[in-house]
Amino acid sequence: MKNFFIAILLLIANFSYAQNFKYAFVTDTHVGTATGEEDLRRTVADINSQTDINFVLVTGDITEMGTNEELKLAKEILAGLNKKFYVIPGNHDTGWSESGGVSFIREFGYDKFTFDYNGYRFIACASGPYVRMSDGHIPRDATVWLDSVLNKTPKSMPIIYINHYPLDNSLDNWYEAIDRLKKKNIQYSICGHGHQNKAYNFEGIQGTMGRSNLRAKDSIGGYNIVTMNKDTAYFATKKPTEALMPAWRKISLKTFVSDGKTYERPEFAINQKYNIVKPVWTYHSNANVVNTPAYSNDLVVFGNSIGLIEALNRKTGKPVWTYRTQGAIYSSPIISADKLVIFGSGDGNIYALNLKDGKLVWKTAAKKSVLGSPIVEGKTVFIGASDNTFKALAVKTGKLKWQFADVEGTIVGKPLIYQGKIIFGSWGRHLYALDINTGALLWKWNNGHANRMFSPAMATPVAANNTIYIAAPDRVLTAIDATTGQTLWRNNEAKVRESIGLSADSTLVYGKTMQDEIVAYKTTRTNEGVAWKYNAGYGYEHTPSDLVEKNGKLFFGTKNGTIYCISPKEQKTLWAHKIDNSMVNTFKVIDDKTLLISTMDGKVTLLKEL
């Protein structure tokens, strides 16, 4: 009974302090667009003119493309606020970021935060995607952090949760936040992303989306002011220099009680349907894994988004060694014949570690983050960076052999070596072919789009019959002459986007469409159209990943954590297995019954057909 009265007193105390303050709720400022800078400067001046605003929350998409210059400008403008401000990244700050999100943290000092004000605990998590196209995703390191914050939060303490995305299935792991918050005294959640004022209910948690700060078709931008009274939160739109509009949204502040209903969660029934494949082991890293693991006879090696390279025992999945860099790792490591693990980091370095123990052998600096993946040919490693430079380095020493310093945009993909050429794309509209021995430009190709969003950056090219095949985000499969770089043909019949693969006999190019279908094209130099289509039933799909054929089996992954194995000859599904609900990276097919897989949520799995 005594404990009961203490709990009641604490609850009363919390709510007696949790009243009578205001904060500015600003979101989707998109600095880098035509009016983004001016609109944000106006909002900062407007907030500064008000003496009764206690602090400012900025809920993502601070910039348009996440470039270093845009981030510096946004920070300079926000630093002009005469009030404390807190900021988290959105998908525009991370998805096309030239630093993989590293520069956001360098500018603002964090990508998630918590603070207490007047008895309330404000908690904000970052959300991706990072570097790759995928659904929104609360990073694995953020959910680990969220657990630590919530574990230290009294059950009665009122919480306000902040994310760039709504807490629904526009985040592939929305339920990880909701299930945690429901156990606490959550009052409401705020978000951006949708560019409009909108009321939500997230499984009993009240939610509010704020309008974009951009003026759009109006003459002036705007934001929200949230007034926290003793028992109600009021949301009202404020346009710079104009009077505060009437409240369009109000939320009752009271002790949260779950409604006890059952809500949608990811379904794993497919694993029972196809029970001929099982994980040998699964390891869950403490941060996102957005690269393809490398493997040797003894080890599995991969990097994560907090800069850690991890090596696991290949048989057991147990950790063997780690090596920490100072930036997120989106570069897929490669193991050389000399037993070196070579990869790039968001900290601006290319690393070579000893495979056996993870000790540093050499590192070579770039001028910006290194998000591209390396490829080795003989005694040379080839890799691109965000400093508009593609390098050839000596495998043993990391010393520069040659560099090509005229790349437009950020390099994030994996190169192809073909007929004495090194071929790669970037977020600068072009596909490049360089002489593998000298780095001289042989040709460059683009698909005619001026918009960099259609660049062949994450599309891994394949080659056969003196022809390069590529599928950029423009959803067109293109055949390019390997010698001249001239377009031979383009086909948009099947809407293949960034995900292709070459058949084992090089007679077909496989493609993953954006809705259910795997398609095949003949590797011809004339457009013969789609050779065949197979409806694999995987649903809507937009993540970039290669299709890999081995011994008559074709393997591919999806945005919702599922691996498929189909028979191209019979055009039927042999099996499918769901690992989690986040993006599957391109994986390694060790043999036709064994796959090494990583997902964005940090799971690394050795999967085996029984």
Side-chain angles (χ1 to χ4, degrees):
M1 184 64 72
K2 180 181 178 182
N3 289 338
F4 172 76
F5 282 116
I6 291 172
I8 293 295
L9 289 171
L10 285 172
L11 184 62
I12 293 170
N14 276 330
F15 275 92
S16 67
Y17 284 107
Q19 56 182 305
N20 301 332
F21 65 94
K22 291 182 180 180
Y23 66 89
F25 167 24
V26 183
T27 191
D28 294 272
T29 57
H30 290 274
V31 170
T33 57
T35 68
E37 177 183 352
E38 184 180 8
D39 291 340
L40 183 54
R41 290 191 186 278
R42 287 178 175 178
T43 288
V44 167
D46 194 64
I47 292 171
N48 285 345
S49 71
Q50 300 171 71
T51 59
D52 58 348
I53 293 178
N54 298 94
F55 56 87
V56 181
L57 300 181
V58 191
T59 64
D61 280 2
I62 315 303
T63 65
E64 177 64 5
M65 298 303 295
T67 66
N68 293 350
E69 290 73 19
E70 288 174 351
L71 287 166
K72 285 181 185 298
L73 178 58
K75 172 65 180 301
E76 177 260 309
I77 299 170
L78 290 171
L81 284 163
N82 60 14
K83 300 162 179 65
K84 182 76 172 177
F85 71 91
Y86 304 87
V87 59
I88 52 170
N91 57 299
H92 276 255
D93 304 307
T94 61
W96 299 278
S97 166
E98 63 183 302
S99 69
V102 173
S103 293
F104 187 98
I105 296 173
R106 284 179 178 165
E107 288 295 336
F108 294 100
Y110 54 85
D111 63 356
K112 47 191 174 288
F113 63 79
T114 184
F115 68 93
D116 296 345
Y117 195 89
N118 272 30
Y120 284 88
R121 179 154 291 173
F122 291 78
I123 305 173
C125 287
S127 54
Y130 286 76
V131 181
R132 312 290 192 264
M133 176 66 178
S134 71
D135 289 341
H137 180 82
I138 301 171
R140 166 69 175 159
D141 68 288
T143 58
V144 172
W145 171 84
L146 181 60
D147 279 335
S148 69
V149 172
L150 292 177
N151 285 340
K152 298 172 185 175
T153 302
K155 192 174 178 70
S156 62
M157 188 173 196
I159 293 170
I160 295 169
Y161 182 76
I162 302 119
N163 196 270
H164 177 64
Y165 283 83
L167 279 178
D168 59 20
N169 60 13
S170 56
L171 286 164
D172 61 29
N173 59 344
W174 79 96
Y175 52 91
E176 292 195 312
I178 283 183
D179 289 348
R180 288 163 166 82
L181 294 170
K182 280 183 176 181
K183 296 175 182 177
K184 296 292 183 176
N185 190 20
I186 178 68
Q187 298 300 293
Y188 61 83
S189 171
I190 63 172
C191 67
H193 192 61
H195 287 220
Q196 61 180 318
N197 287 333
K198 185 176 180 181
Y200 282 92
N201 186 300
F202 303 125
E203 302 182 12
I205 299 173
Q206 294 300 309
T208 304
M209 176 184 285
R211 58 153 294 166
S212 167
N213 190 66
L214 294 173
R215 70 188 70 174
K217 296 179 181 179
D218 203 348
S219 60
I220 195 168
Y223 59 102
N224 276 276
I225 290 179
V226 184
T227 301
M228 300 286 289
N229 287 341
K230 183 176 181 180
D231 56 7
T232 308
Y234 297 91
F235 292 76
T237 298
K238 179 73 168 69
K239 294 183 177 181
T241 72
E242 296 184 6
L244 183 67
M245 294 181 181
W248 64 271
R249 168 84 158 135
K250 64 178 182 178
I251 296 173
S252 296
L253 303 173
K254 57 189 177 181
T255 301
F256 178 78
V257 178
S258 176
D259 60 16
K261 294 179 181 178
T262 300
Y263 291 92
E264 173 195 4
R265 292 295 180 266
E267 186 51 70
F268 287 79
I270 200 167
N271 294 352
Q272 281 69 56
K273 180 179 179 181
Y274 297 104
N275 59 9
I276 62 168
V277 60
K278 301 284 185 184
V280 177
W281 52 258
T282 296
Y283 174 82
H284 205 174
S285 180
N286 280 337
N288 283 7
V289 175
V290 192
N291 54 74
T292 303
Y295 69 90
S296 67
N297 289 334
D298 303 316
L299 296 176
V300 167
V301 186
F302 57 93
N304 72 22
S305 60
I306 57 173
L308 198 68
I309 283 283
E310 301 184 76
L312 311 178
N313 182 290
R314 180 171 155 180
K315 289 183 180 179
T316 65
K318 302 296 183 184
V320 176
W321 56 258
T322 62
Y323 181 88
R324 182 170 294 278
T325 74
Q326 300 304 307
I329 299 169
Y330 297 103
S331 174
S332 298
I334 194 165
I335 298 173
S336 74
D338 301 298
K339 304 298 182 185
L340 296 179
V341 178
I342 303 172
F343 62 95
S345 170
D347 67 10
N349 290 291
I350 302 153
Y351 290 84
L353 309 179
N354 185 290
L355 174 63
K356 183 179 179 180
D357 57 15
K359 301 295 185 184
L360 179 67
V361 176
W362 56 258
K363 74 175 179 178
T364 298
K367 294 178 182 176
K368 288 186 177 180
S369 296
V370 186
L371 308 180
S373 297
I375 190 168
V376 170
E377 176 88 344
K379 298 180 180 181
T380 307
V381 57
F382 303 91
I383 190 167
S386 296
D387 59 359
N388 311 112
T389 301
F390 190 88
K391 290 179 167 65
L393 307 174
V395 168
K396 286 190 175 183
T397 64
K399 289 184 177 180
L400 183 68
K401 290 190 169 183
W402 57 254
Q403 65 179 13
F404 176 75
D406 196 24
V407 178
E408 180 186 346
T410 302
I411 302 168
V412 294
K414 182 180 178 181
L416 167 72
I417 294 174
Y418 184 66
Q419 294 183 345
K421 304 175 185 69
I422 186 88
I423 299 163
F424 61 93
S426 74
W427 281 118
R429 302 177 299 126
H430 290 94
L431 186 74
Y432 296 86
L434 308 181
D435 183 288
I436 197 168
N437 295 311
T438 66
L441 178 66
L442 300 176
W443 52 258
K444 65 180 181 179
W445 170 92
N446 71 65
N447 52 23
H449 286 283
N451 189 338
R452 59 164 279 186
M453 305 293 284
F454 295 103
S455 300
M458 273 311 303
T460 304
V462 299
N465 302 325
N466 197 39
T467 306
I468 309 297
Y469 300 89
I470 195 160
D474 61 355
R475 307 175 195 184
V476 179
L477 183 73
T478 303
I480 303 163
D481 185 278
T483 302
T484 65
Q486 297 300 306
T487 300
L488 297 174
W489 55 263
R490 284 166 61 77
N491 185 295
N492 65 354
E493 180 182 350
K495 301 293 187 288
V496 173
R497 174 178 174 156
E498 296 181 293
S499 298
I500 62 174
L502 193 65
S503 65
D505 63 4
S506 297
T507 62
L508 295 171
V509 173
Y510 299 119
K512 181 176 62 172
T513 72
M514 295 184 68
Q515 189 69 50
D516 287 321
E517 288 186 329
I518 299 300
V519 296
Y521 304 79
K522 292 181 180 179
T523 52
T524 55
R525 290 172 63 84
T526 56
N527 187 359
E528 297 189 17
V530 175
W532 54 257
K533 299 180 180 180
Y534 170 62
N535 190 326
Y538 49 74
Y540 175 67
E541 175 61 28
H542 56 218
T543 58
S545 56
D546 302 346
L547 292 83
V548 183
E549 186 181 28
K550 191 87 168 181
N551 292 345
K553 297 176 181 178
L554 181 63
F555 304 91
F556 62 92
T558 69
K559 73 181 183 67
N560 65 355
T562 304
I563 308 294
Y564 284 83
C565 173
I566 70 171
S567 167
K569 183 177 180 180
E570 300 175 87
Q571 292 168 36
K572 72 174 185 179
T573 299
L574 301 177
W575 56 258
H577 184 85
K578 186 175 176 70
I579 294 173
D580 61 24
N581 205 52
S582 69
M583 176 189 77
V584 175
N585 301 299
T586 294
F587 45 75
K588 291 291 178 66
V589 180
I590 296 175
D591 58 51
D592 64 350
K593 292 186 181 231
T594 312
L595 278 67
L596 177 60
I597 303 153
S598 64
T599 71
M600 183 165 60
D601 198 54
K603 285 190 177 177
V604 179
T605 296
L606 188 68
L607 196 65
K608 196 168 185 67
E609 185 179 336
L610 304 178

